[in-house]
């Protein structure tokens, strides 16, 4: 019985192998087409559509999740094959003047401050209420660039942002840092003892945890941004409500500052990135951002990181993120000092690509960090 079943599996595998080789041949042709037209290898919307359609096409609903895993693996291998024939560094375009930019929150938010720090001549700043919504502005060509927070010195990485940037196949073109000085602000006539509800972005609550711990009988209400919180409290006119907001935001929405500098760390700083559909690599750029996925094997991370050490390149940032749909597998986002035009950097990237399941350059831009 077992021998018969094994023979049947061998026959099926023979058919699968022929179909797999045929699929890889077609995938190589797709890669050549993309290379000729400077198109990205990763097209998330296409992959999601394929997986969904294959799950719907299965005759056995019990296999839906397995079908999704199977085609996810097949497309990962297809991307890997296509990338082997692509330049390790994507073609860059000259920087252009930014006329429209998207950001999180509303006027008075720290994201808006970062936007004007990066692009002081922006003609139109368009707010959105979530990271996904900000990036959708770029998808819909309503803006030329998006500005998003990625890291805070007191609370660490801001989850999901890098995942979203990578999943869209876009590029980081600039970065800046903004000093975060939180204040507790309320409608005119309020006193600290009156406050029963405090509104803020979740990061605001985290960054002011020590101060909030000194207050009693306080309800914390999260909103999309600190500026949204200030607007909500201002419109309520309720002296029992307060917002965690920048002093600039408090003034903009007519609130009275009850307590300044309530952040737990006085050197509290948030790093913001600018995201565009096109890769730029200005001559003054001194940091390269990449993302890669490693084979699920012992020592693979050590081997990948040792490539940077061997080539005397300084890693200045690393973040691991769960690989969607795979248990206990991770993507790694890495920033290192250098420029993509440097032959040593190109050599490093080529070596790294050989040691990874997939690797992509996310950007080359002037750093706002010391390294």
């Amino acid at each position: 019985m077992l021998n018969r079943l094994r023979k049947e599996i061998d026959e099926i595998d023979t058919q699968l192998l022929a179909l797999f080789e045929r699929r890889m041949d077609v995938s190589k042709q797709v890669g050549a087409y993309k290379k000729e037209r400077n198109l990205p290898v990763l097209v998330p919307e296409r992959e999601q559509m394929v997986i969904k359609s294959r799950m719907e096409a299965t005759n056995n609903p019990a296999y839906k999740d397995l079908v999704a895993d199977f085609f996810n693996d097949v497309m990962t291998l297809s991307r890997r094959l296509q990338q082997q024939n692509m330049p390790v560094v994507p073609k860059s375009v000259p920087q252009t003047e930014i006329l429209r930019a998207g950001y999180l929150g509303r006027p008075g938010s720290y994201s808006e401050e970062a936007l004007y720090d990066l692009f002081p001549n922006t003609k139109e700043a368009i707010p959105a209420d979530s990271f996904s919504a900000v990036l959708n502005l770029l998808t819909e060509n309503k803006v030329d660039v998006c500005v998003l927070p990625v890291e805070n010195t007191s609370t660490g990485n801001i989850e999901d942002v890098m995942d979203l940037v990578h999943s869209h196949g876009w590029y980081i073109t600039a970065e800046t840092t903004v000093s975060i000085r939180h204040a507790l602000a309320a409608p005119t006539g309020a006193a600290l003892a009156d406050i029963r509800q405090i509104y803020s972005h979740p990061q605001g609550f985290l960054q002011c945890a020590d101060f909030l711990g000194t207050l009693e009988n306080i309800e914390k209400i999260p909103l999309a941004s600190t500026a949204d919180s200030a607007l909500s409290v201002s419109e309520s006119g309720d002296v029992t409500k307060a917002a965690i907001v920048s002093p600039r935001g408090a003034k903009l929405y007519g609130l009275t500052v009850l307590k300044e500098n309530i952040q737990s760390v006085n050197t509290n700083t948030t790093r913001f990135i600018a995201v565009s559909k096109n890769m730029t690599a200005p001559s003054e750029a001194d940091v390269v951002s990449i993302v890669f996925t490693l084979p699920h094997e012992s020592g693979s991370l050590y081997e990948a990181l040792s490539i940077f050490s061997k080539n005397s390149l300084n890693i200045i940032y690393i973040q691991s993120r769960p690989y969607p749909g795979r248990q206990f597998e991770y993507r790694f986002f890495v920033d290192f000092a250098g420029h993509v035009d440097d032959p040593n950097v190109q050599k490093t990237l080529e070596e790294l690509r050989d040691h990874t399941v997939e690797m992509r350059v996310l950007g080359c831009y002037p750093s706002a960090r010391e390294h």
Side-chain angles (χ1 to χ4, degrees):
M1 175 68 173
L2 182 58
N3 286 336
R4 181 180 64 79
L5 293 174
R6 284 174 171 169
K7 183 178 180 182
E8 186 174 354
I9 285 177
D10 288 342
E11 291 173 354
I12 293 171
D13 285 349
T14 300
Q15 296 174 48
L16 281 174
L17 179 59
L19 290 171
F20 175 76
E21 291 174 343
R22 181 180 169 191
R23 193 187 197 285
M24 291 299 104
D25 287 341
V26 175
S27 185
K28 285 173 66 176
Q29 295 176 47
V30 171
Y33 181 92
K34 290 178 178 178
K35 180 180 179 181
E36 184 179 339
R37 291 159 179 79
N38 195 34
L39 297 174
V41 169
L42 176 65
V43 184
E45 296 82 2
R46 161 68 181 168
E47 292 199 359
Q48 292 165 10
M49 181 186 70
V50 169
I51 290 174
K52 182 180 178 182
S53 68
R54 304 303 185 261
M55 291 173 71
E56 293 173 348
T58 182
N59 294 320
N60 190 333
Y63 295 156
K64 277 193 173 183
D65 289 341
L66 293 175
V67 167
D69 289 343
F70 174 76
F71 280 100
N72 189 49
D73 287 342
V74 168
M75 287 188 289
T76 296
L77 293 170
S78 292
R79 287 201 307 272
R80 188 176 185 181
L81 183 65
Q82 291 178 22
Q83 285 174 337
Q84 290 174 353
N85 296 314
M86 292 282 189
V88 69
V89 176
K91 183 179 179 181
S92 61
V93 300
Q95 290 181 309
T96 58
E97 184 180 9
I98 300 301
L99 301 178
R100 305 166 301 160
Y103 69 98
L104 179 70
R106 61 177 64 249
S109 69
Y110 290 107
S111 291
E112 186 202 34
E113 184 177 340
L115 186 157
Y116 282 110
D117 185 38
L118 285 168
F119 309 111
N121 297 321
T122 299
K123 300 294 187 294
E124 187 177 6
I126 303 176
D129 60 6
S130 69
F131 296 139
S132 293
V134 173
L135 289 168
N136 283 341
L137 294 172
L138 193 55
T139 300
E140 297 164 3
N141 294 316
K142 293 180 178 178
V143 296
D144 308 306
V145 71
C146 293
V147 176
L148 295 167
V150 289
E151 181 185 17
N152 178 266
T153 54
S154 64
T155 57
N157 297 320
I158 298 172
E159 305 295 343
D160 300 335
V161 172
M162 295 305 299
D163 289 334
L164 288 167
V165 173
H166 174 52
S167 68
H168 281 83
W170 294 339
Y171 300 96
I172 302 169
T173 58
E175 71 173 13
T176 190
T177 58
V178 174
S179 180
I180 306 299
R181 293 288 181 263
H182 289 307
L184 189 70
T188 301
L192 187 58
D194 299 329
I195 304 304
R196 292 292 173 265
Q197 292 182 327
I198 297 179
Y199 293 72
S200 178
H201 184 276
Q203 283 287 321
F205 290 130
L206 288 172
Q207 293 165 15
C208 301
D210 291 348
F211 169 75
L212 295 174
T214 67
L215 305 179
E216 297 181 355
N217 301 318
I218 294 295
E219 180 184 7
K220 295 184 289 187
I221 301 175
L223 292 182
S225 73
T226 54
D228 282 304
S229 304
L231 175 63
S232 180
V233 169
S234 177
E235 289 180 338
S236 75
D238 188 339
V239 294
T240 68
K241 296 180 178 181
I244 294 175
V245 65
S246 69
R248 173 173 170 263
K251 182 178 180 181
L252 184 64
Y253 293 104
L255 298 177
T256 299
V257 173
L258 303 180
K259 183 77 173 177
E260 293 183 336
N261 293 323
I262 63 172
Q263 64 278 356
S264 299
V265 180
N266 286 330
T267 55
N268 189 15
T269 302
T270 295
R271 181 166 64 92
F272 292 82
I273 57 171
V275 179
S276 171
K277 289 185 177 182
N278 298 312
M279 168 89 171
T280 61
S283 58
E284 66 271 22
D286 59 353
V287 64
V288 179
S289 290
I290 62 173
V291 58
F292 58 81
T293 305
L294 295 169
H296 197 44
E297 300 170 358
S298 176
S300 60
L301 179 58
Y302 172 80
E303 290 180 4
L305 296 182
S306 67
I307 294 172
F308 293 96
S309 176
K310 182 183 69 173
N311 291 306
S312 301
L313 292 175
N314 181 35
I315 293 175
I316 55 178
Y317 172 85
I318 183 168
Q319 176 188 9
S320 64
R321 293 287 296 153
Y323 195 108
R326 299 188 185 183
Q327 290 189 336
F328 307 113
E329 293 191 36
Y330 300 88
R331 283 183 179 137
F332 294 88
F333 293 90
V334 171
D335 296 348
F336 63 93
H339 194 287
V340 291
D341 289 343
D342 182 345
N344 188 45
V345 168
Q346 294 181 4
K347 173 175 172 287
T348 300
L349 293 174
E350 288 169 357
E351 289 183 40
L352 188 62
R353 186 165 67 177
D354 291 340
H355 281 78
T356 58
V357 174
E358 57 181 333
M359 190 276 292
R360 187 169 81 85
V361 174
L362 291 173
C364 181
Y365 50 92
S367 175
R369 297 160 284 179
E370 293 183 4
H371 58 81

